[in-house]
Amino acid sequence: LAALGLWAGGAVAADKPTQFWNLTSATVTSLRLSHAGQDAFGDNVAVGDEDGVDHDERAKIKSLPSGTYDLELKFKGGRVCFVRHVKVETGKVFSVEDKDLTACNRK
């Protein structure tokens, strides 16, 4: 019975969408990911919220496999920052705070 409970719990977690939780002080207008260390950033995965992902707001991300990623965040106003080596688990929430941001510049 315990094994059945663990299997069912895993299935439920897999059905939940992965979520990005913006804990920075600014609105994220674009979130692009690359496998850690590869600097091959893909398309914006924080789509669906036309005005951006505000502070303390979550964005659902479809079809994101578990892994370690580097993130490129673009903010309202033009600032671009990076966060390196973020562990992402499918069906769970990962967050970014101001203290995590590195290599920020304006584009």
Side-chain angles (χ1 to χ4, degrees):
L1 255 149
L4 180 60
L6 288 174
W7 176 81
V12 170
D15 290 342
K16 290 182 179 179
T18 304
Q19 293 184 53
F20 162 65
W21 188 7
N22 179 15
L23 294 176
T24 70
S25 56
T27 299
V28 174
T29 58
S30 174
L31 172 64
R32 299 185 329 137
L33 291 87
S34 171
H35 289 286
Q38 294 186 6
D39 286 330
F41 294 94
D43 295 331
N44 178 16
V45 296
V47 295
D49 192 340
E50 294 182 17
D51 66 342
V53 183
D54 297 322
H55 165 74
D56 200 24
E57 184 176 19
R58 295 181 187 194
K60 293 179 183 176
I61 301 173
K62 298 178 183 175
S63 304
L64 181 62
S66 295
T68 303
Y69 293 91
D70 292 338
L71 313 178
E72 178 198 72
L73 295 94
K74 292 184 182 178
F75 296 94
K76 272 189 179 174
R79 186 171 65 139
V80 178
C81 298
F82 295 88
V83 182
R84 304 290 182 186
H85 296 92
V86 176
K87 290 197 179 260
V88 174
E89 291 185 50
T90 301
K92 302 231 174 160
V93 177
F94 68 96
S95 62
V96 173
E97 301 179 37
D98 286 331
K99 67 179 180 155
D100 301 322
L101 303 174
T102 61
C104 294
N105 60 56
R106 296 221 181 259
K107 282 199 173 185

